[in-house]
Amino acid sequence: NGELLGQGVVGLDVELETARELARHAALNCLAAAVQAVGDLDRVRIVQMLVFVAGTPDFGEQSRVANAASELLIEVLGENGRHARTAIGVAGL
C-alpha cells in the first residue's frame, strides 16, 4: 500500500534479522515490478543485483543482509534467480 515496513540504520535502530526480512520484502517488490513490466514471472531472469545497506560505521555484515534477497530470488526463480551481486555499506540513503 505504499507504506514502508521499516527503515533505519542497521546496527543502530534496525537489527540484522529485521534488515534481512526487509531485504526479502524489497526483492519481492522488485519481482512484482518486473512481472508488471513483462507480464509473466517465467520471463524474468536476474543477472545482477546491487544492494546498498545503511549501517553504523562498525557494521560489517552487509553481505548477510543482501544474502536474504539473493536467497529469495533463487527460491522463487530457480536458476533464473542466480545472479552476480554487490553489497555496499553506506552511512545514509
Side-chain angles (χ1 to χ4, degrees):
N1 294 332
E3 295 178 29
L4 291 176
L5 296 179
Q7 63 182 11
V9 177
V10 185
L12 180 64
D13 43 20
V14 176
E15 298 293 325
L16 176 61
E17 285 309 311
T18 301
R20 287 176 49 82
E21 290 173 22
L22 293 170
R24 285 178 63 90
H25 190 79
L28 282 173
N29 285 341
C30 291
L31 284 175
V35 167
Q36 213 169 26
V38 300
D40 189 345
L41 196 57
D42 291 335
R43 298 181 65 199
V44 175
R45 180 170 183 236
I46 309 302
V47 176
Q48 184 175 1
M49 183 168 63
L50 177 60
V51 179
F52 292 93
V53 180
T56 59
D58 62 334
F59 181 75
E61 298 187 83
Q62 292 82 4
S63 63
R64 288 192 58 202
V65 175
N67 281 349
S70 292
E71 291 162 2
L72 177 117
L73 293 173
I74 294 167
E75 286 173 30
V76 172
L77 299 173
E79 286 303 310
N80 282 345
R82 291 201 185 280
H83 55 275
R85 190 200 68 222
T86 304
I88 300 172
V90 296
L93 295 172

Short mmCIF file of all heavy atoms in Angstrom, two decimals, residues 4-29:
data_model
loop_
_atom_site.label_atom_id
_atom_site.label_comp_id
_atom_site.label_asym_id
_atom_site.label_seq_id
_atom_site.Cartn_x
_atom_site.Cartn_y
_atom_site.Cartn_z
N LEU A 4 6.25 2.11 3.99
CA LEU A 4 7.49 1.44 4.34
C LEU A 4 7.24 0.49 5.52
O LEU A 4 6.57 0.86 6.48
CB LEU A 4 8.56 2.45 4.73
CG LEU A 4 9.11 3.32 3.61
CD1 LEU A 4 10.09 4.34 4.19
CD2 LEU A 4 9.79 2.47 2.56
N LEU A 5 7.77 -0.73 5.42
CA LEU A 5 7.65 -1.68 6.51
C LEU A 5 8.65 -1.40 7.62
O LEU A 5 8.48 -1.83 8.75
CB LEU A 5 7.83 -3.11 5.99
CG LEU A 5 6.78 -3.59 5.02
CD1 LEU A 5 7.10 -5.00 4.57
CD2 LEU A 5 5.40 -3.54 5.65
N GLY A 6 9.70 -0.71 7.27
CA GLY A 6 10.72 -0.37 8.26
C GLY A 6 11.78 0.48 7.60
O GLY A 6 11.93 0.48 6.39
N GLN A 7 12.50 1.19 8.42
CA GLN A 7 13.63 1.98 7.93
C GLN A 7 14.53 2.28 9.10
O GLN A 7 14.13 2.16 10.26
CB GLN A 7 13.16 3.26 7.26
CG GLN A 7 12.44 4.23 8.15
CD GLN A 7 11.96 5.46 7.38
OE1 GLN A 7 12.00 5.50 6.16
NE2 GLN A 7 11.51 6.45 8.09
N GLY A 8 15.74 2.66 8.80
CA GLY A 8 16.69 2.98 9.85
C GLY A 8 18.08 2.52 9.47
O GLY A 8 18.35 2.19 8.31
N VAL A 9 18.94 2.48 10.46
CA VAL A 9 20.34 2.13 10.26
C VAL A 9 20.60 0.79 10.93
O VAL A 9 20.34 0.63 12.13
CB VAL A 9 21.25 3.24 10.85
CG1 VAL A 9 22.71 2.87 10.74
CG2 VAL A 9 20.96 4.58 10.17
N VAL A 10 21.13 -0.16 10.15
CA VAL A 10 21.42 -1.47 10.70
C VAL A 10 22.57 -1.34 11.70
O VAL A 10 23.58 -0.71 11.43
CB VAL A 10 21.78 -2.49 9.59
CG1 VAL A 10 21.94 -3.88 10.19
CG2 VAL A 10 20.72 -2.49 8.50
N GLY A 11 22.36 -1.91 12.86
CA GLY A 11 23.35 -1.81 13.92
C GLY A 11 23.04 -0.69 14.89
O GLY A 11 23.66 -0.59 15.95
N LEU A 12 22.08 0.16 14.55
CA LEU A 12 21.68 1.25 15.44
C LEU A 12 20.23 1.05 15.86
O LEU A 12 19.96 0.73 17.02
CB LEU A 12 21.85 2.61 14.76
CG LEU A 12 21.47 3.84 15.57
CD1 LEU A 12 22.36 3.97 16.80
CD2 LEU A 12 21.57 5.09 14.71
N ASP A 13 19.31 1.20 14.93
CA ASP A 13 17.89 1.03 15.28
C ASP A 13 17.21 -0.09 14.48
O ASP A 13 16.00 -0.26 14.59
CB ASP A 13 17.11 2.34 15.14
CG ASP A 13 17.45 3.12 13.89
OD1 ASP A 13 17.98 2.54 12.93
OD2 ASP A 13 17.20 4.32 13.89
N VAL A 14 17.99 -0.84 13.70
CA VAL A 14 17.47 -2.00 12.98
C VAL A 14 18.39 -3.18 13.25
O VAL A 14 19.61 -3.07 13.05
CB VAL A 14 17.40 -1.73 11.45
CG1 VAL A 14 16.95 -2.96 10.70
CG2 VAL A 14 16.47 -0.55 11.15
N GLU A 15 17.82 -4.28 13.73
CA GLU A 15 18.59 -5.49 13.99
C GLU A 15 18.89 -6.20 12.67
O GLU A 15 18.16 -6.04 11.68
CB GLU A 15 17.81 -6.44 14.91
CG GLU A 15 17.50 -5.87 16.28
CD GLU A 15 18.75 -5.67 17.11
OE1 GLU A 15 19.68 -6.50 16.98
OE2 GLU A 15 18.81 -4.70 17.86
N LEU A 16 19.91 -7.03 12.65
CA LEU A 16 20.31 -7.76 11.46
C LEU A 16 19.15 -8.58 10.89
O LEU A 16 18.89 -8.54 9.69
CB LEU A 16 21.51 -8.65 11.76
CG LEU A 16 21.97 -9.55 10.61
CD1 LEU A 16 22.39 -8.75 9.39
CD2 LEU A 16 23.09 -10.46 11.08
N GLU A 17 18.45 -9.34 11.71
CA GLU A 17 17.37 -10.20 11.21
C GLU A 17 16.23 -9.37 10.62
O GLU A 17 15.62 -9.77 9.63
CB GLU A 17 16.86 -11.14 12.30
CG GLU A 17 17.82 -12.30 12.56
CD GLU A 17 18.23 -13.05 11.29
OE1 GLU A 17 17.35 -13.42 10.47
OE2 GLU A 17 19.43 -13.27 11.10
N THR A 18 15.95 -8.23 11.21
CA THR A 18 14.92 -7.34 10.66
C THR A 18 15.37 -6.81 9.30
O THR A 18 14.59 -6.76 8.35
CB THR A 18 14.64 -6.17 11.61
OG1 THR A 18 14.19 -6.71 12.86
CG2 THR A 18 13.60 -5.22 11.05
N ALA A 19 16.64 -6.44 9.20
CA ALA A 19 17.19 -5.96 7.92
C ALA A 19 17.09 -7.04 6.86
O ALA A 19 16.75 -6.76 5.70
CB ALA A 19 18.63 -5.51 8.10
N ARG A 20 17.33 -8.28 7.24
CA ARG A 20 17.23 -9.40 6.29
C ARG A 20 15.78 -9.56 5.81
O ARG A 20 15.53 -9.76 4.63
CB ARG A 20 17.75 -10.69 6.92
CG ARG A 20 19.27 -10.70 7.05
CD ARG A 20 19.78 -11.94 7.77
NE ARG A 20 19.25 -13.19 7.26
CZ ARG A 20 19.70 -13.84 6.19
NH1 ARG A 20 20.72 -13.36 5.51
NH2 ARG A 20 19.16 -14.99 5.81
N GLU A 21 14.83 -9.47 6.72
CA GLU A 21 13.41 -9.57 6.35
C GLU A 21 13.02 -8.43 5.41
O GLU A 21 12.30 -8.64 4.42
CB GLU A 21 12.53 -9.53 7.60
CG GLU A 21 12.63 -10.75 8.47
CD GLU A 21 11.88 -10.59 9.79
OE1 GLU A 21 10.96 -9.74 9.87
OE2 GLU A 21 12.24 -11.30 10.74
N LEU A 22 13.51 -7.24 5.69
CA LEU A 22 13.20 -6.09 4.83
C LEU A 22 13.85 -6.24 3.45
O LEU A 22 13.26 -5.85 2.44
CB LEU A 22 13.64 -4.79 5.51
CG LEU A 22 12.86 -4.43 6.77
CD1 LEU A 22 13.54 -3.27 7.50
CD2 LEU A 22 11.42 -4.11 6.45
N ALA A 23 15.03 -6.83 3.40
CA ALA A 23 15.68 -7.08 2.11
C ALA A 23 14.88 -8.08 1.29
O ALA A 23 14.73 -7.91 0.07
CB ALA A 23 17.11 -7.58 2.33
N ARG A 24 14.35 -9.10 1.93
CA ARG A 24 13.50 -10.08 1.22
C ARG A 24 12.25 -9.38 0.67
O ARG A 24 11.85 -9.62 -0.46
CB ARG A 24 13.10 -11.22 2.16
CG ARG A 24 14.22 -12.20 2.43
CD ARG A 24 13.80 -13.29 3.40
NE ARG A 24 12.72 -14.12 2.91
CZ ARG A 24 12.88 -15.24 2.20
NH1 ARG A 24 14.10 -15.66 1.88
NH2 ARG A 24 11.83 -15.94 1.79
N HIS A 25 11.67 -8.52 1.48
CA HIS A 25 10.47 -7.81 1.03
C HIS A 25 10.80 -6.89 -0.15
O HIS A 25 10.01 -6.79 -1.10
CB HIS A 25 9.86 -7.02 2.19
CG HIS A 25 8.52 -6.46 1.86
ND1 HIS A 25 7.38 -7.21 1.88
CD2 HIS A 25 8.16 -5.23 1.47
CE1 HIS A 25 6.36 -6.46 1.51
NE2 HIS A 25 6.80 -5.24 1.27
N ALA A 26 11.95 -6.24 -0.09
CA ALA A 26 12.36 -5.38 -1.21
C ALA A 26 12.53 -6.20 -2.48
O ALA A 26 12.14 -5.76 -3.57
CB ALA A 26 13.67 -4.65 -0.85
N ALA A 27 13.10 -7.40 -2.37
CA ALA A 27 13.25 -8.27 -3.54
C ALA A 27 11.89 -8.68 -4.09
O ALA A 27 11.71 -8.73 -5.31
CB ALA A 27 14.08 -9.50 -3.17
N LEU A 28 10.94 -8.95 -3.21
CA LEU A 28 9.57 -9.28 -3.66
C LEU A 28 8.97 -8.11 -4.42
O LEU A 28 8.31 -8.30 -5.45
CB LEU A 28 8.69 -9.65 -2.48
CG LEU A 28 8.85 -11.05 -1.92
CD1 LEU A 28 8.02 -11.21 -0.65
CD2 LEU A 28 8.47 -12.10 -2.95
N ASN A 29 9.17 -6.90 -3.92
CA ASN A 29 8.67 -5.71 -4.61
C ASN A 29 9.30 -5.58 -6.00
O ASN A 29 8.62 -5.21 -6.96
CB ASN A 29 8.94 -4.45 -3.79
CG ASN A 29 8.00 -4.31 -2.62
OD1 ASN A 29 6.93 -4.93 -2.57
ND2 ASN A 29 8.39 -3.51 -1.65
#
